[in-house]
Amino acid sequence: MMNRFFGGRLALLVIMLISLWGAQVEAAISPLEQVRTTVTGIIGVMQSKDLAKPDKKIARREKIMAYVTQRFDFEEMSKQTLAAKWRDLSPDQRKEFIRLFSELLKNTYIGRVEAYSDEEILFDKELFDGDQQTRAMVYTKVVKNNQEIPINYKLMVKNDEWFVYDVMIEGVSLIRNYRTEFARVLNQERYAGLIKRLQDKVDKRESAKN
Amino acid sequence: MTLAFSSICRPSGGTRAVVGALLVAVLMNGMLTTPVRAEEAAEPPIAATAMVESADAAVDVVDPFAEENLTDPGPLNGHVADPLEPVNRVFFAFNDKLYFWVLKPVSKGYALVVPKVVRECAGNFFFNLKTPVRLVNTALQAKFNRSGVELARFAVNTTVGGVGLWDPARSWLKLSPSDEDFGQTLGKYGVGEGLYLCWPVFGPANLRDSLGLAGDYFLDPVSYLYLNHQNEAALEIRSGETVNRTSLRLGDYEAFKEASFDPYSAMRDSYTQSRRSKINDEPDK
């Protein structure tokens, strides 16, 4: 009798906990799944025979860009890269910086994914930053020529969706690297010099494509 | 974008024989005259690094979470001691030219003649040959599970995997190799980085990792060909290995250069970050 009573209570508790947990999970698709969707999406485009035709070059690139733009938070990336300097910029300057920097980041990141599009990609695990669960790290590995290259994504939640704000390739953070590089340029050539250099990089890339 | 340095600048260039002895001598001398401890290495020795430091400090306002909040420790904050920058830059430029003028054309020609499958098998073979480096260094770091995996991998790949040409240990048994070397072991034991060095031919390193390279040298079976006075054979094997590896990673260094504003400092920072994160990896898994 007692056992049945407690058994019933326990079952109820378990159901309650599961539904609570379920509600939390429903609030946002897991960061790992969102990274997986983006990465496999990009690789799908890259491996598509139809899109590989020369006349589809622009369509192909646009498709890849769409995947990246959907999952990457370029404003957050710009903010963190410029650090203190970000506060001194006017809204227009910020917009301009985000535009140029996201172009550079897309090219860098896509170049990497492109180089590994034939290789096996393992989606290892995800970790959250304690109880708040507003930031996460997704661990992936590219298996290439008897080497496992770790590529980890840092994500933050915004409106129940996860967005990438940093990519770490072999333990090297994309944002950290650029922060150091930009700090050096800002110190020597001011903000105008940085914008000019960014513009040059993007232009060079554009002309190389055409 | 930073994958390049491990491809073209990992030490195994042909002239290792000559540099080997020299390297040890220089290092020993350097270690004796300038004792570099971890705390000292953390001090910014020149004004140039102060700028980087202030950038990091400023970011703490914007970025209070960073890696610390995640279970994964990630790379440490901090700067790189590079008092030899002018000399390092000369060697960096030298290595750059060495890549574009010699290594790249040779590797490209080689890739045209030898199919990718064969090159990958060759890569597997060399990788298997270096098992002692990984075995000893996992053990020195008390990662005994990983040492076991290395032993098992070597046994399986050397036999079933056709003297290491294939990697059935990974594809069938899901046994992945460890990425460990003596530089990481020294780092685990608390040896500081010392100062950053860019060696001609060998590429980026620091004082500690250079010593590590000298240690790993003695765990690489190919090194023992020198003892047998088969210098030419050893040199050929080393050069062949470098060309083979480069042929499989063509374009990485170019992409890295294209993505950075100052390739020299970008490589220095990438190298340091990468090494720090490798040293701070999980104790045993």
Side-chain angles (χ1 to χ4, degrees):
Chain A
M1 183 64 194
M2 282 294 273
N3 275 346
R4 264 182 65 194
F5 175 74
F6 277 114
R9 274 286 176 90
L10 197 68
L12 197 69
L13 192 74
V14 167
I15 289 167
M16 269 173 64
L17 279 174
I18 288 175
S19 57
L20 265 175
W21 177 72
Q24 209 181 1
V25 168
E26 263 165 28
I29 306 169
S30 89
L32 190 137
E33 285 312 315
Q34 287 195 317
V35 169
R36 191 202 297 271
T37 309
T38 303
V39 174
T40 49
I42 294 170
I43 288 169
V45 174
M46 280 172 176
Q47 288 175 339
S48 149
K49 292 229 161 63
D50 180 50
L51 286 166
K53 291 171 189 158
D55 58 313
K56 295 267 175 73
K57 216 175 161 182
I58 296 166
R60 181 173 182 257
R61 199 171 171 81
E62 269 170 8
K63 277 213 163 121
I64 295 170
M65 285 293 188
Y67 273 113
V68 178
T69 311
Q70 188 193 18
R71 191 54 49 220
F72 282 63
D73 185 344
F74 289 116
E75 190 181 337
E76 184 65 28
M77 290 174 124
S78 305
K79 211 188 279 180
Q80 290 204 18
T81 307
L82 282 188
K85 182 74 192 163
W86 180 257
R87 271 172 265 155
D88 305 338
L89 299 184
S90 72
D92 281 345
Q93 281 177 318
R94 286 180 182 183
K95 245 184 224 159
E96 181 189 35
F97 181 81
I98 293 170
R99 182 179 64 82
L100 289 169
F101 186 45
S102 61
E103 227 19 68
L104 180 70
L105 282 173
K106 281 181 206 168
N107 288 334
T108 309
Y109 173 74
I110 291 171
R112 292 296 76 200
V113 177
E114 205 153 27
Y116 301 134
S117 59
D118 295 335
E119 320 297 334
E120 188 190 354
I121 297 181
L122 309 169
F123 295 89
D124 277 355
K125 59 174 175 180
E126 55 190 7
L127 281 179
F128 296 92
D129 64 330
D131 305 330
Q132 292 171 325
Q133 309 227 319
T134 53
R135 286 173 199 276
M137 178 106 99
V138 171
Y139 295 77
T140 77
K141 270 191 206 117
V142 178
V143 182
K144 181 170 174 153
N145 184 37
N146 58 48
Q147 248 190 312
E148 282 180 355
I149 300 158
I151 300 185
N152 302 338
Y153 297 82
K154 287 197 210 168
L155 297 98
M156 58 193 290
V157 77
K158 259 187 191 171
N159 304 324
D160 289 350
E161 222 182 309
W162 290 93
F163 292 95
V164 175
Y165 70 92
D166 196 3
V167 184
M168 304 186 53
I169 303 171
E170 281 190 302
V172 181
S173 146
L174 216 56
I175 292 305
R176 228 189 104 89
N177 248 18
Y178 278 121
R179 190 187 298 153
T180 316
E181 284 218 87
F182 289 177
R184 203 171 282 123
V185 177
L186 282 169
N187 205 37
Q188 287 160 5
E189 304 168 25
R190 303 286 134 206
Y191 180 71
L194 179 62
I195 287 295
K196 198 190 163 296
R197 274 169 174 258
L198 273 169
Q199 187 72 57
D200 285 350
K201 279 255 181 241
V202 173
D203 288 348
K204 215 170 136 193
R205 187 80 201 199
E206 288 297 318
S207 61
K209 270 198 312 248
N210 299 326
Chain B
M1 63 170 228
T2 49
L3 301 164
F5 65 80
S6 48
S7 85
I8 68 145
C9 296
R10 280 321 284 171
S12 59
T15 52
R16 204 171 184 173
V18 191
V19 185
L22 200 70
L23 185 99
V24 179
V26 169
L27 278 170
M28 291 310 177
N29 193 28
M31 286 297 213
L32 290 174
T33 50
T34 50
V36 187
R37 267 171 249 108
E39 307 88 69
E40 282 177 13
E43 291 289 316
I46 47 166
T49 51
M51 182 188 65
V52 180
E53 182 190 32
S54 67
D56 277 336
V59 160
D60 286 341
V61 184
V62 190
D63 183 13
F65 45 87
E67 288 87 12
E68 300 87 68
N69 295 338
L70 290 157
T71 319
D72 181 285
L76 302 171
N77 278 328
H79 26 69
V80 191
D82 189 9
L84 296 179
E85 183 168 340
V87 187
N88 284 338
R89 274 189 188 272
V90 172
F91 289 143
F92 179 83
F94 171 80
N95 290 342
D96 185 80
K97 291 285 174 275
L98 189 69
Y99 174 75
F100 283 108
W101 293 353
V102 184
L103 195 53
K104 190 182 173 184
V106 171
S107 305
K108 257 185 149 169
Y110 168 78
L112 278 176
V113 185
V114 184
K116 197 183 173 202
V117 190
V118 179
R119 285 183 280 137
E120 279 173 349
C121 283
N124 286 338
F125 175 79
F126 288 124
F127 192 79
N128 191 51
L129 211 58
K130 287 209 175 70
T131 302
V133 176
R134 296 186 294 274
L135 179 67
V136 169
N137 284 299
T138 46
L140 284 175
Q141 294 177 42
K143 296 175 179 174
F144 298 117
N145 289 347
R146 302 302 308 172
S147 314
V149 169
E150 285 304 325
L151 267 181
R153 278 181 52 82
F154 186 73
V156 172
N157 287 347
T158 309
T159 54
V160 187
V163 295
L165 290 172
W166 286 272
D167 191 354
R170 190 212 302 274
S171 35
W172 297 347
L173 303 175
K174 303 284 168 216
L175 291 175
S176 298
S178 310
D179 181 4
E180 298 293 354
D181 52 56
F182 195 49
Q184 289 183 54
T185 302
L186 291 174
K188 266 267 160 36
Y189 284 124
V191 178
E193 287 160 4
L195 42 93
Y196 177 75
L197 296 163
C198 182
W199 294 100
V201 184
F202 298 115
N206 51 44
L207 213 50
R208 179 199 59 215
D209 291 341
S210 304
L211 193 66
L213 293 176
D216 290 334
Y217 175 84
F218 294 105
L219 292 171
D220 182 351
V222 178
S223 308
Y224 291 91
L225 286 172
Y226 292 114
L227 288 182
N228 276 335
H229 304 291
Q230 290 170 293
N231 291 8
E232 257 174 57
L235 202 71
E236 275 166 27
I237 291 171
R238 293 245 199 265
S239 315
E241 186 194 353
T242 307
V243 169
N244 189 70
R245 190 181 47 243
T246 311
S247 79
L248 290 162
R249 299 194 87 167
L250 282 171
D252 279 4
Y253 179 62
E254 291 83 339
F256 161 79
K257 264 187 90 176
E258 199 181 319
S260 53
F261 291 87
D262 177 11
Y264 169 79
S265 54
M267 181 163 295
R268 181 186 63 200
D269 296 344
S270 305
Y271 176 81
T272 307
Q273 259 197 74
S274 172
R275 294 297 292 176
R276 285 176 187 175
S277 86
K278 278 179 183 177
I279 290 164
N280 289 315
D281 56 6
E282 293 160 61
D284 201 350
K285 51 176 181 175

